[in-house]
Amino acid sequence: MDAAHGRAYVCKPMNPPYDPANPSSPDVRRRAFRLLFLCLIATSIGNSMLFAILPPLARELEVDEIFVGAIYTLSALLFLIMSPVWGALSDRHGRRPLIVFGLSAFAGSCLVFAAGAWAGQVGLLPPMAAIIAMALARSIFGGLGSATNPSAQAYVADRTEPSQRTRALSSLTAAFGLGTVIGPALAGFFSHRIGISTFMVLVAIMVGIAAVCVRLFLPEQTPPQKKGRPINPLVQFRFAGDPRLTAFMIYGCAMWMAQAASLQSLSFYIMDRLGMDAAGGLQLGSIALTMGAAGLIFAQLVVIPVLNTSPRVLMIIGAVMVVLGNATMIFAPNYVVIVIGYMFNSFGFGLARSGFTAGASLAVEPEEQGRAAGLTTATAGVGFMIAPITGLWLYQSVAPAAPFELNASLAVIGCALALLHPRVRETTAALVPNVEDTPPA
């Protein structure tokens, strides 16, 4: 049902029917998707804990907020450039090798980050050198670890019919939200017990084990395509200009910009609004990030299956919720209301992300799934690359509420795009999934 016009749509697959021999049996798909779900949780834990750890760590090292943004910026730029490349390479070489490579690179980046943070805390490196070391670690993730997400997303798209895809992809991307719950909670619990560096080493070990499990247990039946010309990142980005994808890419960039700015600014916002020190800010920031991630998980694992609606409707509702969430944070009189606003924001982003990811996948052909997945993944890179300006710079130079005001404006633009753009309307007619065949995460 199209919520904007009250019309029911007949399911019209945007892609040719998938080959039943390729996805294997439903049981095999369920096991494979669950393994990918657990692997993405592991990487999300390592990512999300940084949003709780870095603000207090920056205060401990006595560096400005803008330098924390620098840690994200280079990583986000490389993530933006390389995600489409890895997605296209997964079309050529298969999904599993690229997933294993990305997980291994992420584990390595955690070890480098742990070393840089430890050296800065004990005085072996001056604060700015420690920041540079941590930025290098994040760059390893952005450039090499970015192979995991588009390859995993394309793996799921290979093995689902169009009617199943929104639900299957939302279950997979919910791993991001679940890891975002676990990461800050673990960071807040362990930071004063075993230390940040030790915790990062444990995350590296966990992700390394995940890479081994994928290599040994993830079935790979997608035949690699014939090798062609070397993959050019600029060529991959031109694919974003394909009329089938452009609206989804613009929407995704807007929503990721809003989400990234919120993630980077939230802990600073809480510390300054409440007059907290670094230790108190770590605890309260971790709780707020955890509650927001819980809202995202609820959206993707509970609300989306219950709504059973089109990607377009998810995009519209998600954008409206992001507007409400940021408005709540702007006018919040206390910590509890700040947390409630951030939960609304994250709940809306959970709907929005599943909507534009599934819409882009439905818009292209089976042989283009890796390229499309790379581009939708790259929208996160756009968000985190720009967030130090739209988030931390605005926070420091204009006003603490300025990032959230901009986030609300971006969500309004996204809502208008989902409501009015003809390609979004055409591509995302409601699809009714086959519940029996849809492999749960």
Side-chain angles (χ1 to χ4, degrees), residues 57 65 70 77 110 122 149 183 194 225 227 238 246 253 265 267 269 307 312 353-354 368 383:
L57 183 59
E65 290 90 341
L77 176 61
C110 290
V122 301
N149 279 23
I194 63 174
Q225 298 177 6
K227 295 183 179 180
R238 281 207 295 269
T246 303
C253 288
S265 303
S267 291
Y269 191 61
L307 286 179
R312 177 178 177 239
R353 185 186 185 194
S354 296
E368 299 171 311

Side-chain angles (χ1 to χ4, degrees), residues 29-310:
R29 293 205 307 278
R30 287 189 184 94
R31 288 194 295 269
F33 289 5
R34 285 169 181 157
L35 177 57
L36 288 179
F37 185 84
L38 293 174
C39 291
L40 293 182
I41 287 176
T43 60
S44 181
I45 288 173
N47 270 326
S48 62
M49 62 168 285
L50 296 181
F51 300 115
I53 285 174
L54 278 176
L57 183 59
R59 295 284 167 89
E60 181 182 340
L61 296 176
E62 298 181 346
V63 297
D64 291 338
E65 290 90 341
I66 196 66
F67 293 111
V68 175
I71 294 178
Y72 300 114
T73 300
L74 182 57
S75 170
L77 176 61
L78 292 172
F79 193 93
L80 168 64
I81 293 172
M82 292 305 299
S83 290
V85 173
W86 296 125
L89 284 172
S90 76
D91 284 336
R92 287 189 183 179
H93 302 292
R95 315 303 185 195
R96 185 175 63 192
L98 274 297
I99 296 171
V100 172
F101 177 81
L103 290 171
S104 302
F106 184 89
S109 74
C110 290
L111 294 176
V112 176
F113 189 97
W118 175 80
Q121 287 180 307
V122 301
L124 290 179
L125 287 177
M128 286 308 302
I131 290 291
I132 291 172
M134 289 184 278
L136 173 63
R138 294 295 298 167
S139 298
I140 295 173
F141 162 70
L144 305 179
S146 53
T148 300
N149 279 23
S151 303
Q153 183 177 312
Y155 185 95
V156 171
D158 288 342
R159 289 154 178 80
T160 50
E161 297 182 42
S163 62
Q164 301 172 337
R165 200 160 302 155
T166 300
R167 183 177 178 183
L169 288 175
S170 67
S171 296
L172 185 70
T173 56
F176 166 84
L178 188 55
T180 305
V181 169
I182 298 172
L186 292 179
F189 181 79
F190 285 110
S191 60
H192 297 300
R193 292 170 173 81
I194 63 174
I196 292 172
S197 300
T198 304
F199 181 50
M200 288 300 292
V201 171
L202 293 178
V203 171
I205 293 172
M206 177 178 60
V207 176
I209 292 172
V212 173
C213 290
V214 169
R215 177 64 183 84
L216 295 177
F217 303 118
L218 187 73
E220 174 66 281
Q221 295 179 317
T222 304
Q225 298 177 6
K226 294 181 179 179
K227 295 183 179 180
R229 297 178 180 177
I231 293 176
N232 184 335
L234 295 178
V235 173
Q236 303 309 313
F237 280 111
R238 281 207 295 269
F239 190 44
D242 187 305
R244 297 171 297 171
L245 290 175
T246 303
F248 296 106
M249 295 301 103
I250 295 172
Y251 180 95
C253 288
M255 301 309 295
W256 266 114
M257 286 169 60
Q259 179 70 1
S262 295
L263 284 168
Q264 292 186 16
S265 303
L266 181 63
S267 291
F268 288 117
Y269 191 61
I270 290 171
M271 283 190 286
D272 292 337
R273 285 288 299 272
L274 303 180
M276 304 292 296
D277 60 10
L282 173 60
Q283 297 298 321
L284 292 184
S286 297
I287 293 171
L289 289 167
T290 299
M291 296 301 294
L296 188 149
I297 293 171
F298 182 73
Q300 294 184 319
L301 292 185
V302 178
V303 175
I304 289 175
V306 170
L307 286 179
N308 192 25
T309 190
S310 72

Side-chain angles (χ1 to χ4, degrees), residues 327-350:
T328 301
M329 285 189 282
I330 291 168
F331 298 105
N334 54 48
Y335 174 72
V336 172
V337 180
I338 292 175
V339 173
I340 291 172
Y342 185 65
M343 289 180 66
F344 284 163
N345 174 81
S346 298
F347 175 83
F349 178 74

